[in-house]
Amino acid sequence: MNALSNDFNLLGVESRAFLEQEHGLRIGGRAVPSAGDRKVALVDPSSGNVVGHVPEATAEDVDAAVGAARQALEEGPWARMRPHERALAMSRLADLIEECGRELAELETINSGRLIGNTRAFDVEFSAHVLRYMSGWATKIEGRTVDISAPYMPAGEFFSFTRREPVGVVVGIVPWNVPLCQAVWKLAPALAAGCTVVLKPAEPTPLTALRLADLALEAGIPAGVVNVVTGSGAVTGAALVSHPGVDKISFTGSTATGRLIATHAAASFKKYNLELGGKSPVVIMPDADLEKAIPGAAWAIFGNHGQNCCAGSRLYVHETVFDKVLEGVADIARSLRLGPGLDPASQMGPLVSRAQQQRVLGYIEAGRREGATVLTGGSALDHAGSYVEPTVLVNTTQHMRVVQEEIFGPVLVASRFSDEAEALRMANESEYGLGASIWTRDIGRVHRFIRGFKAGNVWVNVHNVLDSALPFGGTKGSGVGHDLGEQSVLDHTRIKAAVISL
Ligand code: NAD
């Protein structure tokens, strides 16, 4: 079973050297130890082996990081840099991410379990793409002139305008499923708008965020603009969201944590955007091109081992093609080769941690108890790595926990429907509203579903396509506000209205 554990001989010298470092926090442009002495152990999920430690940042560390970000915002060279200089530094950071692509991809794969092909081709490339796209916005942030009337001052003559200013110190809190990309999604619009940032990566996956902070300095982004504090949500995260020196919280994570953060933000009038959980439906109509829809539905759930906020975790198939589609998806599930992320032949890696593996297995068991049938998968591998077989559950009903709750693992629930109205009703019967896809060749139906889905992101004959230029965000329990796109840059600005008496 050793073939299921990562072979560290495959690592390049850079990632090996980074792994061997003593990891400090990144505050004010320096790698610094924590004021406290608690450490978080980092585990390679393919083997369960500890591969390093990072500090658990204390409230004192958080205070120092927020202080460094405030100083950089108000007094440092960043505040005086012109928009095109910010844009240049951001695009240099994109270049460095690509130059260090192998190292970043390897660190991510070891730390998170993601497949090396994906960390290289998606995480690294998309991170660079997002930075380049966002760098373009740095020079395009504009106010407006407004002809005011002020009817209560008939003799007055005025020139009036709005300015968009950086919102201030931004805290970016991210989850463990796509760590580098999520960190860049938080960082890039904030930098474009002229803000400074304190990033908090998820407890198990901090390595690429630490490396990103080093690269930001190398790219010419001044000290204190990008700070990173590592540690748990309960200690480090909680200290960040309640800190009075923070102006905006940009959060990606679970709906439960998002709710908590919104409460903190409201109490101190911080701005926030929340990218939260999902339980996204995939609807397959009888007229769909099944050659595309079947692998599309399988990829929608098994991509990144189901640890994907937009995972197509609920499959609704028209009764006339249900058996054929389910047979096809189950065949793909059975054929997937489970293996460690560093092995290029692996098609599905381990889940991020033992805890996540147990959580996912708990859901499969709950599904069984509630009457669902396991069509394929359903178990862990007998190995120290946190693997779970790709799993398909049928005979599910809408009220079951496996249909209503986010599992965040490779578990698909599938049901049949008889007409369009029933499909849309079932798709929308969820507390979440992040993504949804419809598979059909009928153009009228395409438009009816695009309008009818209660979700922030809708796809047709494809699932989970994201781009730097497209706003990404959810409705209902899936969140408030957006990452990516122009909107995310504007959300990092504050409008100031000015009136000059002539
Ligand atoms: P989580 O909510 O447990 O943790 C997310 C981040 O919040 C981590 O950095 C964590 O340390 C921090 N955190 C936890 N408690 C905190 C607190 N009290 N105060 C401040 N910070 C706190 O989520 P997770 O388990 O790491 O990630 C999985 C979840 O993320 C899933 O629900 C998934 O759908 C969601 N997600 C959403 C998107 C999106 O864009 N909508 C993308 C990826 C993941």
Side-chain angles (χ1 to χ4, degrees):
M1 296 301 260
N2 275 343
L4 287 172
S5 301
N6 276 321
D7 175 359
F8 276 44
N9 292 317
L10 294 171
L11 293 180
V13 282
E14 291 85 4
S15 52
R16 210 185 278 243
F18 191 79
L19 277 174
E20 283 164 10
Q21 276 179 25
E22 175 120 358
H23 302 296
L25 308 170
R26 301 297 192 274
I27 298 180
R30 291 188 308 125
V32 294
S34 166
D37 54 9
R38 290 181 60 171
K39 298 266 184 200
V40 177
L42 307 181
V43 173
D44 170 0
S46 74
S47 63
N49 294 337
V50 173
V51 294
H53 291 85
V54 290
E56 178 167 71
T58 62
E60 203 179 317
D61 299 322
V62 162
D63 195 45
V66 173
R70 171 69 52 196
Q71 196 179 4
L73 179 81
E74 291 177 359
E75 301 161 29
W78 182 246
R80 293 185 296 278
M81 275 169 76
R82 294 185 177 186
H84 87 107
E85 294 173 304
R86 285 206 307 273
L88 277 175
M90 290 174 70
S91 102
R92 274 198 299 271
L93 178 55
D95 295 344
L96 285 173
I97 286 177
E98 284 181 336
E99 280 166 34
C100 301
R102 178 176 176 187
E103 177 191 355
L104 288 164
E106 288 176 352
L107 291 174
E108 200 75 300
T109 289
I110 296 232
N111 203 185
S112 70
R114 272 170 73 62
L115 301 178
I116 191 75
N118 292 343
T119 52
R120 193 72 209 251
F122 182 82
D123 303 36
V124 167
E125 294 306 323
F126 195 31
S127 294
H129 189 264
V130 169
L131 271 159
R132 290 201 182 101
Y133 168 84
M134 290 294 171
S135 74
W137 279 112
T139 51
K140 294 165 195 69
I141 295 172
E142 298 169 347
R144 289 182 175 181
T145 56
V146 184
D147 276 341
I148 62 168
S149 303
Y152 45 85
M153 295 176 75
E157 202 183 332
F158 303 102
F159 178 70
S160 236
F161 60 97
T162 59
R163 278 172 55 76
R164 276 195 183 266
E165 300 181 346
V167 72
V169 173
V170 175
V171 160
I173 300 181
V174 293
W176 42 256
N177 61 327
V178 197
L180 175 65
C181 264
Q182 297 286 355
V184 168
W185 288 19
K186 300 306 184 194
L187 188 63
L191 296 182
C195 299
T196 58
V197 178
V198 181
L199 276 176
K200 196 203 85 62
E203 191 171 342
T205 54
L207 289 179
T208 48
L210 292 172
R211 192 70 186 102
L212 182 64
D214 298 343
L215 294 178
L217 270 184
E218 209 177 313
I221 295 173
V225 175
V226 182
N227 306 277
V228 179
V229 288
T230 53
S232 68
V235 174
T236 313
L240 277 169
V241 298
S242 58
H243 197 290
V246 171
D247 300 297
K248 174 177 161 86
I249 303 168
S250 182
F251 173 77
T252 300
S254 64
T255 299
T257 310
R259 195 170 279 124
L260 204 67
I261 286 177
T263 313
H264 273 290
S268 51
F269 303 111
K270 294 177 173 66
K271 272 186 105 167
Y272 61 85
N273 68 295
L274 306 170
E275 306 302 325
L276 308 178
K279 190 78 184 175
S280 301
V282 172
V283 177
I284 300 184
M285 285 293 170
D287 68 334
D289 177 352
L290 296 187
E291 297 286 308
K292 290 188 180 148
I294 290 170
W299 184 86
I301 180 64
F302 300 130
N304 202 25
H305 335 152
Q307 302 169 130
N308 187 342
C309 54
C310 290
S313 48
R314 292 184 291 143
L315 177 61
Y316 297 109
V317 186
H318 191 265
E319 57 197 5
T320 55
V321 289
F322 182 86
D323 290 339
K324 182 169 183 190
V325 169
L326 266 290
E327 209 174 290
V329 172
D331 279 348
I332 293 172
R334 287 185 204 105
S335 75
L336 290 176
R337 181 177 160 153
L338 268 65
L342 283 183
D343 181 349
S346 300
Q347 293 173 304
M348 235 181 77
L351 303 191
V352 72
S353 63
R354 181 64 78 181
Q356 186 65 9
Q357 181 198 43
Q358 293 308 310
R359 183 170 181 272
V360 170
L361 292 173
Y363 269 112
I364 296 172
E365 191 42 43
R368 280 196 179 102
R369 276 202 308 273
E370 285 185 295
T373 308
V374 178
L375 185 61
T376 185
S379 306
L381 298 192
D382 180 18
H383 185 265
S386 42
Y387 293 94
V388 173
E389 293 174 330
T391 300
V392 179
L393 301 179
V394 291
N395 295 326
T396 54
T397 55
Q398 287 290 90
H399 69 270
M400 288 181 182
R401 282 184 61 208
V402 282
V403 175
Q404 288 304 326
E405 296 179 20
E406 184 184 42
I407 300 176
F408 221 56
V411 182
L412 179 67
V413 295
S415 298
R416 52 188 96 214
F417 62 84
S418 51
D419 61 31
E420 216 175 283
E422 189 183 19
L424 203 49
R425 177 183 59 73
M426 291 171 94
N428 286 337
E429 240 167 30
S430 169
E431 74 161 295
Y432 296 108
L434 193 53
S437 65
I438 170 75
W439 300 72
T440 177
R441 289 189 255 220
D442 177 332
I443 189 69
R445 184 174 273 159
V446 163
H447 284 278
R448 285 192 293 276
F449 271 85
I450 290 174
R451 286 184 195 180
F453 277 139
K454 292 187 171 30
N457 310 274
V458 178
W459 301 285
V460 179
N461 297 327
V462 72
H463 192 92
N464 200 11
V465 176
L466 311 176
D467 189 79
S468 309
L470 268 180
F472 175 75
T475 60
K476 301 194 277 182
S478 291
V480 180
H482 291 91
D483 276 340
L484 304 178
E486 176 185 7
Q487 195 54 46
S488 73
V489 181
L490 297 181
D491 285 350
H492 285 81
T493 64
R494 220 186 268 292
I495 295 178
K496 182 179 278 176
V499 179
I500 303 172
S501 176
L502 303 177

